[in-house]
Every structure is written in C-alpha cells, then in structure tokens.
C-alpha cells in the first residue's frame, strides 16, 4: 500500500519536472495525476489550493534542489572563477541531457504564470532570492565586501539566467558559454 506522504511527494516531484520543461499552462491536471501515478481526486486532497498550490510547492522544491546543487558546487571549488565555471557547466549539462527542454527550473513557470498568481510569483521570487543569497554569501566568503558581493551575485545570477534562456531557445550552448567567459573575466578582475 502506498503511504499518503508518498503520493504527495510523487505528485510534487512529477509537477516539478513537468512545470520545469513545459511550464504552468501547458501542464494539465490529468497529466499531473497520471504521470504522478495518483487518482485524480488526490490532487485536491493533497493540494487543496489545486494546481496553483501544487505549482508553488513544486517551484519551491525545484529551487531547494538547485540551491543545494549550487551550494555543493561552490563549496567544492578552489576559487570563484572555478565555482562559476562549474555551475555554468552543470546547468549546460542539464540543457543538453534534456535536448534543450530543461533550462532553469524557475524561469519557465515564472514567465508563464507569475504575473497572474501571487503564490507562484512569491515561490519564484523566493527561489531566485535564495540562489542570489548563495552566490552572495560565497563571494563575501572570498573577501568581497557584503555590498560588492551582493551586486556581483545579482550580475552572476542574471547573466546565467539570460544565458540559459538564450541557449534553450537557440538550442545551442554558445550563449551560456559566452556568459561564462564574461563572468570569468569579471571575477578575475575582482579577485586579482
């Protein structure tokens, strides 16, 4: 017998995957329950707020997973340049492994539904804020002032996000590679 929490987690995992690749509006309730191996009525049982609640929670889950990956990459890198290079390479790997279907796990939903749903907008904003904080804290640990680390974290995050979007739409990693090259130069100047 499947435990209730297993069904809920399975639905969250499925939703995170589908929203990541398809977006909010292109993902239907039937697809969510079928792919999650759950009866239709279970969506509202586990997520009384319906698809909107499921999406907001799935965005938070995706954000946490990506944040954990970024933290691990940054923690294991010998310097800031290598850290950003490794983060970009990991994200590039996700793009190519998915045949350019899976870029940023927040961007697809943010662009698709954040303007019309406050819970989804908040989940996306919180996710981006947490990633910004990860980069900012890392750069501050590398001896940048808190203010400069905050500014540079914004540049790093925005550049990577833009690079992912361009790479996904062009089906080519060149934009992401160009971003990495420019971030590399920026970080070299900061830390030399």
């Amino acid at each position: 017998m499947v435990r209730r929490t297993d069904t809920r987690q399975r639905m969250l995992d499925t939703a995170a995957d589908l929203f990541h690749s398809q977006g909010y509006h292109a993902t239907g309730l039937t697809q969510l329950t079928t792919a999650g191996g759950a009866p239709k009525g279970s969506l509202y049982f586990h997520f009384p707020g319906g698809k909107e609640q499921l999406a907001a929670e799935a965005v938070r889950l995706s954000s946490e997973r990506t944040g954990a990956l970024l933290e691990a990459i940054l923690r294991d890198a010998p310097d800031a340049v290598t850290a950003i290079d490794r983060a970009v390479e990991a994200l590039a790997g996700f793009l190519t492994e998915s045949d350019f279907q899976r870029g940023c796990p927040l961007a697809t939903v943010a662009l698709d539904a954040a303007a019309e749903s406050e819970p989804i907008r908040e989940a996306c904003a919180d996710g981006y804020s947490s990633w910004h904080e990860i980069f900012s804290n890392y750069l501050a640990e590398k001896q940048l002032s808190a203010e400069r680390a905050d500014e540079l974290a914004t540049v790093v995050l925005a550049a990577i996000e833009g690079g992912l979007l361009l790479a996904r739409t062009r089906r080519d990693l060149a934009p992401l590679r160009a971003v990495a090259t420019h971030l590399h130069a920026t970080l070299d100047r900061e830390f030399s």
Side-chain angles (χ1 to χ4, degrees):
M1 175 180 219
V2 176
R3 292 185 359 231
R4 185 176 109 166
T5 55
D6 292 341
T7 300
R8 187 178 201 288
Q9 187 60 50
R10 204 170 51 251
M11 290 179 76
L12 268 173
D13 290 337
T14 298
D17 183 56
L18 290 171
F19 291 140
H20 183 173
S21 58
Q22 297 178 179
Y24 180 77
H25 292 298
T27 305
L29 294 178
T30 300
Q31 184 183 23
L32 286 164
T33 54
T34 301
K40 243 183 194 177
S42 65
L43 183 124
Y44 290 100
F45 176 75
H46 293 291
F47 304 95
K51 182 180 173 184
E52 181 180 51
Q53 179 186 353
L54 176 59
E57 290 189 35
V59 163
R60 290 186 191 287
L61 177 65
S62 292
S63 171
E64 290 168 7
R65 288 177 175 166
T66 301
L69 172 68
L70 290 173
E71 285 177 328
I73 289 169
L74 299 179
R75 179 181 54 246
D76 294 339
D79 55 66
V81 171
T82 304
I84 299 305
D85 284 348
R86 287 180 182 173
V88 168
E89 282 307 309
L91 296 168
F94 295 143
L95 267 176
T96 56
E97 289 167 13
S98 69
D99 192 31
F100 292 88
Q101 299 301 305
R102 297 171 59 90
C104 170
L106 303 186
T108 305
V109 176
L111 293 170
D112 193 26
E116 62 196 48
S117 167
E118 187 59 17
I120 293 172
R121 187 203 64 76
E122 285 178 6
C124 291
D126 290 347
Y128 283 124
S129 291
S130 72
W131 297 348
H132 178 273
E133 185 177 343
I134 290 167
F135 284 125
S136 183
N137 289 343
Y138 175 80
L139 293 168
E141 289 170 7
K142 298 296 181 194
Q143 308 309 313
L144 289 183
S145 70
E147 182 179 331
R148 185 64 185 142
D150 183 66
E151 290 172 355
L152 195 52
T154 298
V155 170
V156 167
L157 183 57
I160 291 172
E161 278 296 301
L164 281 170
L165 181 59
L166 289 173
R168 185 175 180 194
T169 57
R170 291 182 184 176
R171 300 181 62 77
D172 181 359
L173 294 177
L176 197 53
R177 301 266 190 252
V179 162
T181 298
H182 285 279
L183 289 175
H184 190 202
T186 299
L187 291 170
D188 271 343
R189 279 193 305 276
E190 288 290 331
F191 292 104
S192 55

